[in-house]
Amino acid sequence: MANPKISDSDAISSTEHSDAGAQMKDVNEKDISTPACPPNRRNVSEWEAIQMAAAGDVESIDREIDEIDAELQNLNIKSTWHKPQLRLKDPRHFTWLLVGFASMGGLLSGVDQSLISGANLYMPKSLHLNTHQVSLVSSGVPLGAVGGALMLGPLNEAVGRRMAIIVSLVLYTIGAALCAGSIDYAMMLAGRIILGLGVGLEGGTVPVYVAESVSREYRGNLVSLYQFMIALGEVLGYVIAAIFVNVPSGSWRYMLGSSLLFSTIMFAGILFMPESPRFLMHKGKTIEAWHVWKQIRGTDADARKEFFVMKHSVAEEFTFREQGVHKRFVWMDFFTVPRARRSIIYANIMVFLGQFTGINAIQYYMATLMQQVGFGDKQAVFMSLVGGGSLLIGTIPAIFYMEKFGRRFWACAMLPGFFIGLLIIGCSYLIPISNVAGAQGAYITGLIIYEGFFGSYSCLTWVIPSEVYPTYLRSYGMETSDVTLFLCSFLVTYFFAQMQEAMSRIGLTLGFYGGIAVVGWFYQLLFMPETKNKTLEEIDILFSQPTSQLVRENFRSVVVTGKDFLSGRWGKVFSPVSESDIFRKENGHKSQMGPQAQHEELMQPEKPE
């Protein structure tokens, strides 16, 4: 029997599958694979939901949200030891607390990356390590992080974002303890690899956890905070190394063991944080998702609209999966669905550009590189603070301005900056070592410019992968991006000494790292879409357009912006409103099927040729 309050023309299912039934009386709802929508109610597609929200159809949205809220009021959600309920009056305070504790994972990652730089001055001699063993120990974290990244998808799908972060913290603690207490090479390598497992698992989970929880207006800024915390951790690592450098015996043990303090604090804080609402929705727990949403986002009109769109987006993805041929292996959609394939290619190319321009090699071998331009052992440790500090300062503009100017502008503006830094670093190697002041001055100048611009650019490494994948593929997509990131980091770090010997210092810095930066800049100009100020569901629509349409938009943007630049119209060049935004406003979303194509049509697998 139809609900008499809802007409056939504007009826909307109160839940995407079976939320209006008896199942919803239980917080731990059953899996969404058994939908049962009343026959006289029509399903709302993601595109229709977005249009309803944009048109301000408050009556329909409120009716559906109120039904969900009524179900929530009938539940008695209690605080338990493994899932404590933290309640704050202002949702903004909850959001900042969630972002703060989650982003501490970046602090841990940064501390562990930079501590090895100082420890490498004393630890190899203490444990009697040869050059090959030192290289493997230094690259043990990124090597282990590849394993952690491979755990990311299955673990996130099985236990959720929050619990995956908790598991990563346990791995952090075990790894740091093994490193601090190492008595031989095997124990040290095992500790570094276990530490890497935690880095890989946490590094791909935290950005998604934050991106799925915060408002679109601040998503880029708050995910960028994770990179800021990595940079802050690297500076703290150099500071800790400088503090313990004069300890007469076992200074490296104090350096490597200090990260235990940070992992303990983060573990205590994350216990009180909720699960990602989008993950709960993905698992069919709509009532629990709304419960969390009210805590972290509130119940204002914008929050209700976004929840409404998110709900129907997840429902559409579920329907699409059920109709597909890869129900068991949903990750196969990365090969068969154009929208999913575009996202994985784009995200992983951006990750590759962030790693193969040399940042981790320079960070891991900072003290060694300082020695190559004439600094002594202790001077090298202290001067490493210059590079780490520049990286930290460079992330600050991204936190405040990336969401204003957009990802595309930010990437295209920052990449030439750190190429100039690489150019100066390469030229510093041409200065004779007899001119110590000149070589050191040029190197430090190039390092500051490189690290500063890269600090702003590197935020994209976390922002872009966390927002471009469909909800049902986000865990697996982040797994591929995480594997790409840490595998590239391992390759760059492990082969750094051999590459420097084979290519020469200037050849590696300017020819290899600089050459990749130049090629990457042209890729970004043509193939990088703009995703600022869009919900994750709106980004889903954006990636459903064909690549040729995106290239045409971007080429137009490059031509118009180039003319404005040459004509001195700086206000337009640095305008927060991009040419892509103007083009799409004038022309709308296009597809091979025409401007009126339904989104579900765009998500269908390509037909075999």
Side-chain angles (χ1 to χ4, degrees), residues 312-515:
H312 288 288
S313 173
V314 173
E316 181 177 313
E317 289 176 349
F318 173 82
T319 303
F320 169 68
R321 294 202 313 274
E322 286 297 292
Q323 294 172 349
V325 295
H326 304 302
K327 292 182 183 179
R328 185 176 179 184
F329 303 108
V330 293
W331 49 266
M332 287 294 292
D333 286 357
F334 283 126
F335 300 97
T336 61
V337 180
R339 180 263 178 270
R341 187 167 60 245
R342 292 183 193 108
S343 65
I344 196 171
I345 292 173
Y346 166 58
N348 285 289
I349 286 178
M350 294 302 294
V351 169
F352 172 84
L353 291 176
Q355 293 303 306
F356 264 78
T357 44
I359 185 62
N360 275 317
I362 291 175
Q363 292 300 112
Y364 275 78
Y365 290 94
M366 182 81 74
T368 304
L369 292 170
M370 290 290 183
Q371 288 177 323
Q372 291 180 355
V373 291
F375 290 104
D377 287 357
K378 292 184 179 179
Q379 286 179 318
V381 173
F382 286 101
M383 289 305 296
S384 296
L385 286 168
V386 175
S390 301
L391 186 71
L392 174 65
I393 294 171
T395 61
I396 295 175
I399 294 174
F400 290 103
Y401 294 110
M402 180 187 290
E403 204 61 56
K404 178 179 180 180
F405 291 101
R407 285 71 157 141
R408 176 176 158 77
F409 172 88
W410 207 256
C412 294
M414 295 301 115
L415 201 150
F418 68 77
F419 171 76
I420 293 173
L422 287 171
L423 180 65
I424 297 173
I425 290 174
C427 291
S428 72
Y429 294 131
L430 298 176
I431 301 175
I433 196 64
S434 56
N435 184 3
V436 176
Q440 292 177 349
Y443 182 83
I444 294 298
T445 300
L447 183 67
I448 291 173
I449 295 172
Y450 170 74
E451 296 270 359
F453 277 94
F454 192 89
S456 282
Y457 183 86
S458 59
C459 294
L460 295 166
T461 300
W462 306 107
V463 173
I464 288 172
S466 70
E467 65 185 13
V468 300
Y469 296 114
T471 301
Y472 78 102
L473 290 173
R474 192 164 291 132
S475 295
Y476 300 104
M478 278 304 295
E479 179 178 346
T480 65
S481 295
D482 219 25
V483 168
T484 301
L485 189 151
F486 291 111
L487 181 60
C488 290
S489 176
F490 168 74
L491 293 174
V492 168
T493 305
Y494 182 73
F495 292 106
F496 174 76
Q498 295 95 313
M499 291 175 71
Q500 192 180 63
E501 182 179 348
M503 299 182 185
S504 78
R505 289 182 293 178
I506 187 171
L508 176 61
T509 304
L510 188 54
F512 187 76
Y513 297 151

Side-chain angles (χ1 to χ4, degrees), residues 98-99 156-157 160-162 204-216 219 223 275-282 289 292-293 296-297 306-307 310 314 317 465-467 469-475 478 536-537:
L98 182 149
V99 172
N156 268 256
E157 285 296 305
R161 322 295 191 212
R162 172 179 169 272
T205 305
V206 167
V208 170
Y209 181 56
V210 173
E212 290 184 338
S213 302
V214 303
S215 173
R216 63 179 178 181
R219 187 178 64 245
V223 176
E275 181 54 85
S276 154
R278 278 184 170 85
F279 175 80
L280 292 171
M281 185 74 78
H282 166 58
V292 173
W293 192 265
I296 64 177
R297 298 291 299 278
E306 187 172 345
F307 187 86
M310 174 181 72
V314 173
E317 289 176 349
S466 70
E467 65 185 13
Y469 296 114
T471 301
Y472 78 102
L473 290 173
R474 192 164 291 132
S475 295
M478 278 304 295
L536 298 181
E537 290 69 39

Side-chain angles (χ1 to χ4, degrees), residues 9-31:
S9 61
D10 65 357
I12 301 173
S13 169
S14 65
T15 58
E16 69 270 49
H17 304 294
S18 58
D19 298 342
Q23 291 179 1
M24 295 310 300
K25 295 300 181 181
D26 186 2
V27 172
N28 298 315
E29 293 92 335
K30 301 297 182 183
D31 191 81

Side-chain angles (χ1 to χ4, degrees), residues 174-225:
I174 295 172
L178 284 174
C179 289
S182 293
I183 58 175
D184 56 22
Y185 166 68
M187 190 173 177
M188 172 59 72
L189 182 60
R192 294 286 292 170
I193 291 176
I194 293 173
L195 200 62
L197 290 173
V199 171
L201 179 58
E202 168 266 320
T205 305
V206 167
V208 170
Y209 181 56
V210 173
E212 290 184 338
S213 302
V214 303
S215 173
R216 63 179 178 181
E217 289 85 359
Y218 310 107
R219 187 178 64 245
N221 298 350
L222 294 180
V223 176
S224 296
L225 185 63

